[in-house]
Amino acid sequence: MSNLKDAVFSGSVSQGNPHQDGIAYDTYEANFNVIEQDGNHSLILTPYRAEAKKLIKHLFAEKDQRILDLGSGTGISTLELLSQNPEVYALGVEVSEGMLQIARYKFHQVNGDELLKQVDDSKLLRYWQDFRTESERYKDQVEFILGDFQEIDDIEPESIDGAIGNQFMHWTDLSKSFKQLYRFLKRDRHVVWNSASHFYDDSKFPSSEYGFRYNDFLRFILDEVGKRVRVRDYKTLSIPEHNLDSIKTITSEQGFETEQVATYLLPVDLQVFIKNHVPAFVRNLIIPKMSKNEIKDITQEAIANAINNPKALEDTQHKYEIIPIFKSTKR
Ligand SMILES: C[S@@+](CC[C@H](N)C(=O)[O-])C[C@H]1O[C@@H](n2cnc3c(N)ncnc32)[C@H](O)[C@@H]1O
């Protein structure tokens, strides 16, 4: 269930594991900005980098320590880890070869010739160029391993000083991931990780009250799609299966003490929602097998009809991705 939810809600591009396609993932990253004020400085960040920044502030790391980056993807959080902790060593674990290859390119570990042949998007190329300029100084402090973190065996037991997991845990079975973390982490060390509102029901900001996945606009779109083809019920997929108690229980069974150290609400812009999330929702919720082009046509028509219906734009409450941050310490 959780993986179908993740595939539906991730807003990524291909079916199955949406993260096989690192180019699509980084295209999203390269195309949207998040502007933040940090002390006296205003920052223009890419979306996952902004999330990583908030998350990694809760990690305590010291010089020469080895820090795991769980589900390191295309290396976005790995770079933020090093930018906040320039003297640590990062070990990324990633199950998708497509994502990992891009991370290796972005950290100067491969020349990227094959990758660059596939790309003709100036924003993406510019984003990679800037990333590589920033990452160059850390390139010898980073290693990426290809594998499923729930099963990998090639990390020395109790050799790791800390871990981060930016938008990773909900892709896995929590018990299995924490069992692995227990093996690899030293005692009293912690992992900081976050999640999303289709996975976690925050007590102050319940998903059903604030979460963008409950926005009526989506219902109008799926109603439109439903006039043409059969679709799954998206609202039941939006119901999160965890709260703080269930997370504390599962992680404590694996030897960890977990606290929720922060929560933030990320406003979801309607344009981003329409461009990025809606097509992924529709694609994954359509029941019959259809070609990409057929799905694209149906989606565009549904979006156009929904936008022309003033009622579809009335819901101004469900506008947020609610992101909890947890710190789990090995006892
Ligand atoms: C939402 S992305 C986040 C990527 C990265 N942490 C970032 O900040 O951009 C989740 C990543 O976790 C990876 N992943 C999912 N399940 C995994 C597993 N069992 N082991 C390792 N990586 C996994 C996915 O392939 C994907 O790259």
Side-chain angles (χ1 to χ4, degrees):
M1 182 64 168
S2 177
N3 271 346
L4 172 64
K5 280 187 163 194
D6 288 324
V8 173
F9 294 135
S10 70
S12 295
V13 169
S14 49
Q15 286 197 336
N17 177 359
H19 298 304
Q20 274 158 8
D21 191 344
I23 292 177
Y25 193 85
D26 271 8
T27 301
Y28 168 73
E29 191 69 358
N31 272 278
F32 300 113
N33 288 327
V34 177
I35 297 176
E36 285 186 2
Q37 190 74 24
D38 188 15
N40 287 329
H41 307 282
S42 53
L43 302 167
I44 300 178
L45 298 164
T46 56
Y48 278 95
R49 183 75 186 258
E51 279 194 46
K53 197 171 196 59
K54 292 198 182 82
L55 175 70
I56 293 165
K57 280 193 175 141
H58 297 276
L59 177 81
F60 178 76
E62 289 179 304
K63 188 174 187 300
D64 292 336
Q65 288 191 335
R66 288 182 83 207
I67 309 294
L68 268 183
D69 180 5
L70 305 170
S72 46
T74 62
I76 300 161
S77 303
T78 324
L79 183 56
E80 180 60 31
L81 169 68
L82 288 156
S83 126
Q84 289 190 32
N85 305 276
E87 296 180 325
V88 302
Y89 291 91
L91 179 57
V93 181
E94 172 53 51
V95 73
S96 149
E97 196 158 358
M99 299 288 273
L100 191 88
Q101 275 313 321
I102 292 183
R104 288 199 167 125
Y105 168 63
K106 286 160 78 184
F107 277 93
H108 304 263
Q109 298 182 352
V110 292
N111 67 21
D113 287 349
E114 282 308 307
L115 179 65
L116 293 171
K117 274 187 211 152
Q118 302 169 50
V119 176
D120 177 26
D121 171 343
S122 57
K123 274 196 179 166
L124 180 59
L125 293 170
R126 176 70 199 266
Y127 163 69
W128 281 345
Q129 201 177 47
D130 291 347
F131 191 108
R132 280 166 59 88
T133 303
E134 190 185 347
S135 71
E136 183 148 28
R137 57 191 283 227
Y138 307 120
K139 64 180 196 268
D140 299 328
Q141 290 161 249
V142 178
E143 189 190 336
F144 293 107
I145 308 178
L146 180 65
D148 179 344
F149 180 68
Q150 299 164 106
E151 290 165 10
I152 56 166
D153 207 21
D154 35 11
I155 299 175
E156 189 78 7
E158 308 224 331
S159 65
I160 300 293
D161 300 285
I164 59 167
N166 188 23
Q167 294 300 324
F168 163 78
M169 282 300 177
H170 50 253
W171 285 95
T172 69
D173 178 316
L174 274 190
S175 305
K176 286 188 187 161
S177 288
F178 274 91
K179 190 175 190 155
Q180 289 282 69
L181 276 168
Y182 193 87
R183 278 177 66 200
F184 304 140
L185 276 180
K186 295 177 184 165
R187 194 137 175 238
D188 292 327
R189 300 293 162 82
H190 55 263
V191 54
V192 290
W193 57 285
N194 58 13
S195 187
S197 49
H198 66 285
F199 172 85
Y200 182 73
D201 210 12
D202 188 81
S203 60
K204 283 202 193 123
F205 305 106
S207 301
S208 59
E209 256 181 72
Y210 298 95
F212 76 96
R213 296 170 173 115
Y214 287 85
N215 194 299
D216 281 349
F217 186 70
L218 190 57
R219 180 170 61 78
F220 276 87
I221 290 192
L222 290 174
D223 286 350
E224 289 291 332
V225 175
K227 290 178 190 163
R228 303 265 302 265
V229 284
R230 277 198 315 130
V231 285
R232 275 188 269 267
D233 171 14
Y234 87 90
K235 285 215 170 179
T236 54
L237 284 177
S238 299
I239 299 169
E241 64 186 85
H242 286 290
N243 57 26
L244 190 55
D245 285 344
S246 68
I247 284 178
K248 278 183 182 233
T249 304
I250 294 170
T251 53
S252 113
E253 281 163 7
Q254 301 304 329
F256 284 82
E257 200 172 284
T258 296
E259 53 181 325
Q260 185 172 351
V261 290
T263 314
Y264 61 97
L265 269 58
L266 195 67
V268 178
D269 170 269
L270 186 65
Q271 217 176 327
V272 174
F273 186 52
I274 289 175
K275 250 186 109 170
N276 187 61
H277 297 87
V278 166
F281 273 108
V282 174
R283 198 170 35 248
N284 287 292
L285 289 171
I286 286 182
I287 295 169
K289 272 220 163 313
M290 302 183 83
S291 76
K292 271 190 185 162
N293 278 342
E294 283 172 311
I295 296 177
K296 201 172 151 203
D297 288 346
I298 289 179
T299 310
Q300 281 178 351
E301 193 184 305
I303 291 172
N305 288 345
I307 285 181
N308 275 317
N309 180 349
K311 278 197 174 318
L313 299 170
E314 274 173 10
D315 181 356
T316 51
Q317 165 120 11
H318 296 96
K319 292 182 70 122
Y320 301 96
E321 176 61 302
I322 303 140
I323 304 187
I325 297 180
F326 303 101
K327 179 173 177 180
S328 301
T329 308
K330 175 176 167 178
R331 293 301 183 206

